[in-house]
Amino acid sequence: MEVHHHPRVEKKNFKGYFLEFLMIFLAVTLGFFAENIRESINDKTKIKSSVRSMIADLQSDVNMYNATILINKLSDRRIDTLISLLKLDRSNTSRIYFLARYATANNNIYTPDTKTFDQMKSSDALKLIDSRKVADSISDYYQSLQFFISQSDLQRQKVVDVHLVNSQLFDGYVFQQMFTRVERNLDVEITQPENNPPLLSEDFNAINKVMIAYHYLYGTTEINTKAAEEIRQHALRLIELLKNEYHLG
């Protein structure tokens, strides 16, 4: 009768089980650390790319502030001259027409670029910023831009108010003739009319309404311009901080 012998299975001792457990544990742990390192590298690459984009937005803002501040300061100087002429000397109506039309055509509204910040906020990328100083500075800058939402609306309304009262004093046909198209860049220039075209009214109330409207436009623009000068400095400081923190030239 044939006898079947079962193969002998060598029993593992405690040391064998421990080594097997240790190898599995090390494999899982190393895999975990490798995944974390990979995610960390990806996060650093992502945040650095976002910071580069934010710096570009901030530089665009600075350029916009520089140009707009210059334009609005000139506009306000001309509004000041216009109000003085309407009050004290209306003999040079050619100059009055020019100043009245120039001030509304060259009164700029600030529109900062928040594209990168909005994308980082919606994707939770802002949480990847380790430095509290950097995170707070970014938050402070973009929070301060909320001021321009209300102020820009107010400035637009003051321009509209000027347009509404100007019809009481200025001839629309004269305004139209003051526009000269520049063919090289399809832009429009405003030229001073000749021969002192008449104002439509010498009534004090009509003239005063126009002066009041320009005065409020002047005041609103002055406030916005001063705020733009301060926030421009904030943008420059933030650019420098981001470059230093992420070693960007």
Side-chain angles (χ1 to χ4, degrees):
M1 181 176 176
E2 190 174 335
V3 178
H4 295 281
H5 297 282
H6 294 285
R8 288 183 65 184
V9 178
E10 187 178 346
K11 292 184 178 181
K12 292 183 181 179
N13 57 23
F14 174 78
K15 184 178 179 180
Y17 282 114
F18 178 75
L19 288 175
E20 186 176 324
F21 164 79
L22 185 61
M23 290 177 65
I24 295 172
F25 175 79
L26 288 174
V28 172
T29 302
L30 289 174
F32 173 77
F33 281 123
E35 183 63 26
N36 279 355
I37 291 171
R38 184 162 51 250
E39 287 182 2
S40 178
I41 292 172
N42 289 339
D43 288 346
K44 287 180 179 179
T45 301
K46 180 180 179 180
I47 194 64
K48 202 163 189 176
S49 175
S50 295
V51 166
R52 282 197 182 95
S53 183
M54 180 175 286
I55 289 173
D57 289 352
L58 290 167
Q59 189 58 60
S60 175
D61 287 352
V62 169
N63 295 338
M64 177 205 64
Y65 294 137
N66 289 338
T68 306
I69 288 168
L70 288 174
I71 291 171
N72 281 354
K73 282 186 173 181
L74 177 58
S75 176
D76 271 358
R77 287 198 298 271
R78 290 184 166 174
I79 289 176
D80 184 64
T81 302
L82 171 64
I83 291 175
S84 296
L85 290 177
L86 286 173
K87 178 64 178 178
L88 303 173
D89 181 12
R90 294 190 291 277
S91 61
N92 188 352
T93 57
S94 290
R95 187 63 178 165
I96 289 174
Y97 265 90
F98 172 77
L99 294 172
R101 192 64 191 90
Y102 180 95
T104 54
N106 293 276
N107 190 277
N108 279 17
I109 306 295
Y110 308 105
T111 51
D113 190 346
T114 63
K115 178 177 78 274
T116 300
F117 176 74
D118 292 338
Q119 289 174 349
M120 291 178 70
K121 187 166 62 173
S122 64
S123 65
D124 285 335
L126 291 172
K127 295 179 180 178
L128 301 177
I129 297 175
D130 295 327
S131 169
R132 174 51 55 188
K133 181 179 179 181
V134 171
D136 288 346
S137 188
I138 290 173
S139 177
D140 289 346
Y141 174 77
Y142 285 98
Q143 186 64 35
S144 67
L145 296 184
Q146 298 304 310
F147 172 80
F148 292 106
I149 296 175
S150 59
Q151 282 300 115
S152 294
D153 288 342
L154 182 60
Q155 191 170 332
R156 288 188 187 93
Q157 184 57 52
K158 297 309 174 187
V159 172
V160 171
D161 292 345
V162 168
H163 289 161
L164 292 175
V165 297
N166 269 353
S167 61
Q168 299 183 34
L169 204 58
F170 298 104
D171 187 331
Y173 181 77
V174 176
F175 273 167
Q176 182 65 20
Q177 299 307 304
M178 290 164 58
F179 273 66
T180 303
R181 185 165 297 281
V182 182
E183 296 299 336
R184 63 179 178 275
N185 56 11
L186 301 180
D187 226 346
V188 171
E189 290 183 355
I190 299 173
T191 58
Q192 184 167 307
E194 299 177 352
N195 303 321
N196 285 331
L199 299 175
L200 298 184
S201 175
E202 284 294 328
D203 177 67
F204 170 79
N205 288 328
I207 294 172
N208 193 54
K209 282 182 180 179
V210 172
M211 288 193 296
I212 287 291
Y214 275 102
H215 162 74
Y216 285 127
L217 174 59
Y218 174 95
T220 303
T221 305
E222 278 283 288
I223 292 172
N224 283 359
T225 299
K226 289 177 181 178
E229 290 173 333
E230 293 179 5
I231 203 168
R232 172 185 170 277
Q233 293 302 319
H234 194 164
L236 288 171
R237 289 194 299 270
L238 181 53
I239 289 172
E240 192 64 24
L241 179 62
L242 291 172
K243 285 183 176 180
N244 289 337
E245 182 70 22
Y246 292 95
H247 308 292
L248 299 172

